Each structure stands twice: as C-alpha cells, then as structure tokens.
Amino acid sequence: MSPTPSLPDSEALRFRDVHVAFDEGRRRVLAGLTADVSTKELTFIAGASGTGKSVLCRLAVGLLRPDAGQVELWGERVDSRPERELVRLRRQAPYLVQGPALLDWRTLRENVRLADPSASADAVDAALEQVGLLDWADRLPPELGPGAKKRTAIARALVLGPRYLLFDEPTTGLDRKAASQVEEVLASLKARGLGGMVVSHDYRQLKALADRVLVVANKQCAYLGTPEGFLESSAPELRVLTAPFMEGATDG
C-alpha cells in the first residue's frame, strides 16, 4: 500500500518498508510493511493472531528495532536513534501493555506518580479523574477489579501529558461492564483530540471508536482506511477477519 504524502510530519507515525523477523530470522513477521498513521486519530490495528500487530506499537517507540526499513515519529527517526534519546519520545507516546503493571503496595495515586515523580498532586488527581478513579485514589490495586486497574494504567500514562498513546489489547480479559468503562475512557480521550494506536480483536469496539483501521496481513499493510471500509470489504484477506463479526451483527 502506497504511503500518504499529504500527512505532515508533525502528525505522522511512518513505517517505511519495515522488515521484522524473530528466532534468528526463521520467523518473518513483517516483510516490507509501509504505512502512514495519523497521530491525531484513533487507529485500530487488526489482523489474525501472530501477524505482528503488537510489533507495530513496539517499533513506534523503539522498543523493537526493525531488521530493515525505517520508522519515523513526528519527523524523527526512531529505528536508528540511540536508546538514551528515545526516553523523550516514549514519554510523549507511552506504550500500555496488556497487563496494568501496578505495584500492589502503592495507592492508585502513588502508582500514577511513579510515571513522573515530579508531577504535582493536581496533575496526578486530574489524570485519575479523567479515567473515573479520583474517588479511589487512596485505594490499593488489590481492592480494584481488572477494569479499574487498566484505567489506572491509562491514568499513569496521562500524567506524562502525552501527544499519543499506544494500547495493546486494552480490554482483553475484561467482562462487558469493565470493558465498557475502558472504552468510555478511550472515547473521552478521542473527543479531547488525543490520538492513539489500539491493537484489538474486538470489532464491535473498532466499529464504535476507530477513525482508521490498519490491517496487518501477509506480513504487510493490507488495508488502511475507514472502519466501514474494512468491515464491508469483500477482499478475501479482510473478509476472513470480519465475516464472523458481520454475520453475528446481522443475526443479532
């Protein structure tokens, strides 16, 4: 898929002919992936398991280096930048892994402040308020359900004042109520103009929240466009992903 030249560097995460392999090159995950992602939008990453969706998040902030190709964020090369120079980018674009990674013996307020020990009390409370947990600020993580723990992890990223967020399966393992609370946070952040990349298998969530969808298939970018275009496409590599969801939606 050809790049989008109209997207300015100040709003772009760019992947150029990116190749990634694991197991000493025996397992190729990406082979020539090229895509321009707007950091002003909420972009969902879709694809079958093991196709490299989470790899894109890690590449975006230099947690993984490509074997070949280039990765740029806001006009800055990520793939060739020294590790010490990536700290600033990672603060501007925090990567939220699937697990909340909270310290059980620290309160929610203390867990959030760990991201930035210099953050003011007001900034920490504002971050917790954005995810609906200010009233729980002095509670410990074991007192929370898994959804609230994930929202706390989002607050920990927000206290950094980010320009962009990277989410790896933010609602995996949550029941419908807890997932809905996380989705409400994503919708709120989107309404405030904070863009993000969301790795997800949940196409109901994708349909409701995504501005754009990037599909990884055959080790490349197989689609980059609207959620409607993705869900309604007749292309075989997309239909194999969307058919179960679309058939269920029709039956329902």
Side-chain angles (χ1 to χ4, degrees):
M1 181 172 292
S2 61
T4 307
S6 60
L7 197 61
D9 283 346
S10 61
E11 299 178 7
L13 167 59
R14 305 189 196 277
F15 301 94
R16 289 286 178 271
D17 193 25
V18 171
H19 295 250
V20 173
F22 298 114
D23 299 331
E24 297 181 340
R26 291 189 296 271
R27 183 165 67 91
R28 296 175 67 195
V29 177
L30 301 177
L33 182 140
T34 292
D36 284 355
V37 176
S38 171
T39 58
K40 295 292 187 180
E41 296 180 327
L42 198 59
T43 301
F44 272 60
I45 310 301
S49 296
T51 54
K53 301 183 299 298
S54 298
V55 165
L56 292 183
C57 288
R58 294 161 61 194
L59 288 168
V61 288
L63 292 170
L64 177 68
R65 309 282 180 144
D67 298 313
Q70 298 181 8
V71 180
E72 294 183 6
L73 180 59
W74 302 312
E76 297 185 45
R77 283 284 295 272
V78 176
D79 57 284
S80 59
R81 192 167 294 274
E83 182 68 22
R84 65 181 180 279
E85 295 181 12
L86 290 171
V87 174
R88 175 178 52 83
L89 277 179
R90 290 173 185 161
R91 289 176 64 88
Q92 293 178 323
Y95 174 37
L96 289 90
V97 297
Q98 290 186 27
L102 304 178
L103 298 181
D104 286 347
W105 59 92
R106 296 286 189 97
T107 66
L108 301 196
R109 184 177 279 117
E110 290 170 338
N111 268 284
V112 170
R113 182 173 279 115
L114 286 174
D116 182 2
S118 67
S120 68
D122 287 345
V124 172
D125 285 355
L128 285 165
E129 187 171 28
Q130 287 182 70
V131 300
L133 289 172
L134 181 56
D135 290 343
W136 290 67
D138 294 318
R139 301 286 188 94
L140 297 173
E143 301 177 59
L144 276 61
K149 290 179 181 178
K150 290 209 174 187
R151 285 186 285 145
T152 303
I154 296 173
R156 186 176 55 202
L158 292 176
V159 80
L160 296 171
R163 295 172 60 185
Y164 196 59
L165 292 170
L166 303 162
F167 297 94
D168 193 350
E169 301 279 4
T171 57
T172 290
L174 302 183
D175 62 28
R176 184 67 257 147
K177 180 179 179 181
S180 294
Q181 291 172 335
V182 172
E183 289 163 3
E184 288 174 7
V185 172
L186 295 180
S188 174
L189 297 176
K190 175 181 173 179
R192 289 176 44 226
L194 183 58
M197 176 182 283
V198 183
V199 175
S200 179
H201 287 96
D202 188 336
Y203 294 162
R204 178 200 55 79
Q205 183 184 96
L206 176 153
K207 183 179 180 181
L209 293 173
D211 294 306
R212 293 282 183 274
V213 178
L214 189 161
V215 178
V216 182
N218 300 318
K219 303 178 179 62
Q220 298 186 349
C221 176
Y223 176 85
L224 178 56
T226 65
E228 294 80 13
F230 166 59
L231 294 171
E232 297 170 7
S233 175
S234 60
E237 65 270 24
L238 303 186
R239 285 295 297 163
V240 71
L241 299 172
T242 61
F245 170 79
M246 296 302 288
E247 290 167 3
T250 301
D251 293 344

